[in-house]
């Protein structure tokens, strides 16, 4: 679902559009621009994810929020009928999701998610650091979160996520040949590894308490034959 509001006059952060719909100066010091390709999106210097050229003309871009790992704003876009609207977006670095299989079991992690205030059972996952591939990030995240390093990784699928509002890519990686290593959790990671049998993994992901990335990763792995009965 896309959020578009041509009649928006202001936000809690202050005036951001005039009555004629032209964005005012963004609050973070960025000049409105037709593109963000030359500006860094994140604190590590990575650029914005803007593949290809827009089919609908972009009149201007405003960045309204930055944290170093999340950037958010809106594009003023000319629609096919000639009208213009502000389309909001939030950009995140790419993420990797790991389907780790060993001894007919799939490795999950159980953790509390403050954003939804619920305990979740999910596949291991994390942000792809600058210079990493999805597979490299998957191996690192799996070792850090679960204490198992894979001997083999395979990228199963890359997708764009929640394209109505996010600029965020996700890679699903199969990991096999697991060997025990020392865990290295971040200061905000409080999670426990959980092993689920291959036969029950997809059913587990369809119950409340799992997220979209977990369900999608297992569905892709099953479609590729990695969750077949053994």
């Amino acid at each position: 679902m896309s959020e578009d509001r041509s009649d928006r006059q202001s936000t809690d952060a202050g005036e951001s559009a005039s009555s004629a719909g032209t964005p005012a100066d963004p609050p973070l010091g960025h000049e409105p621009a037709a593109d963000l390709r030359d500006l860094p999106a994140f604190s590590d210097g990575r650029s914005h994810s803007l593949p290809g050229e827009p089919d609908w003309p972009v009149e201007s871009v405003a960045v309204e929020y930055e944290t170093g790992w999340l950037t958010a704003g809106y594009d003023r876009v000319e629609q096919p009928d000639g009208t213009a609207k502000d389309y909001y977006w939030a950009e995140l670095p790419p993420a990797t999701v790991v389907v780790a299989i060993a001894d007919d079991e799939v490795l999950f992690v159980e953790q509390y998610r403050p954003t939804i205030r619920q305990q979740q059972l999910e596949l291991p996952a994390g942000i792809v650091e600058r210079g990493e591939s999805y597979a490299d990030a998957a191996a690192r995240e799996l070792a850090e979160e679960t204490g198992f390093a894979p001997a083999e990784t395979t990228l199963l699928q890359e997708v764009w996520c929640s394209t109505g509002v996010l600029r965020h890519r996700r890679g699903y990686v199969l990991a096999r040949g697991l060997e025990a290593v020392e865990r290295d959790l971040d200061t905000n990671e409080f999670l426990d590894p959980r092993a689920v049998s291959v036969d029950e993994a997809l059913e587990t992901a369809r119950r409340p308490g799992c997220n979209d990335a977990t369900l999608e990763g297992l569905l892709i792995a099953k479609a590729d034959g990695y969750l077949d009965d053994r």
Side-chain angles (χ1 to χ4, degrees):
M1 178 178 66
S2 296
E3 181 178 358
D4 49 56
R5 296 174 58 190
S6 59
D7 59 347
R8 184 175 61 87
Q9 301 299 312
S10 63
T11 67
D12 292 339
E15 190 78 6
S16 62
S18 70
S19 59
T22 302
D25 291 339
L28 296 174
H30 295 298
E31 291 296 327
D35 209 328
L36 294 174
R37 297 175 198 273
D38 296 331
L39 294 176
F42 310 109
S43 58
D44 62 10
R46 277 184 286 186
S47 59
H48 290 266
S49 298
L50 293 167
E53 298 297 330
D55 290 339
W56 297 359
V58 177
E59 297 178 357
S60 62
V61 175
V63 176
E64 293 192 325
Y65 186 71
E66 289 179 311
T67 68
W69 70 276
L70 180 148
T71 302
Y74 64 89
D75 291 2
R76 185 70 173 172
V77 176
E78 181 183 327
Q79 302 181 118
D81 63 0
T83 62
K85 287 193 176 182
D86 297 336
Y87 281 84
Y88 281 81
W89 49 263
E91 184 168 354
L92 293 165
T96 188
V97 180
V98 193
V99 184
I101 302 176
D103 298 327
D104 293 333
E105 292 181 323
V106 178
L107 199 54
F108 285 67
V109 290
E110 187 173 19
Q111 61 184 319
Y112 177 72
R113 290 295 193 183
T115 49
I116 59 172
R117 303 178 182 181
Q118 290 183 9
Q119 199 77 14
Q120 294 285 106
L121 188 63
E122 307 171 352
L123 292 177
I127 295 298
V128 177
E129 295 181 355
R130 185 176 186 178
E132 283 186 322
S133 66
Y134 287 115
D136 290 341
R140 176 182 52 77
E141 288 287 348
L142 184 65
E144 291 175 355
E145 294 188 356
T146 70
F148 289 95
E152 175 188 350
T153 55
T154 303
L155 177 62
L156 301 178
Q157 185 79 41
E158 179 186 13
V159 299
W160 285 93
C161 305
S162 302
T163 51
V165 67
L166 291 184
R167 289 176 180 168
H168 178 51
R169 289 174 295 161
R170 182 183 293 162
Y172 295 95
V173 176
L174 178 74
R176 294 184 290 186
L178 307 187
E179 297 182 1
V181 296
E182 185 176 351
R183 288 208 297 170
D184 183 20
L185 297 174
D186 291 336
T187 56
N188 65 334
E189 289 182 322
F190 302 89
L191 47 81
D192 296 303
R194 296 282 185 265
V196 177
S197 71
V198 168
D199 294 341
E200 297 177 357
L202 190 53
E203 180 182 348
T204 298
R206 298 188 67 178
R207 298 176 192 147
C210 274
N211 63 7
D212 59 335
T214 297
L215 181 57
E216 291 167 3
L218 292 172
L219 285 171
I220 293 169
K222 184 173 180 60
D224 288 351
Y226 294 110
L227 298 184
D228 291 343
D229 294 336
R230 302 178 180 226

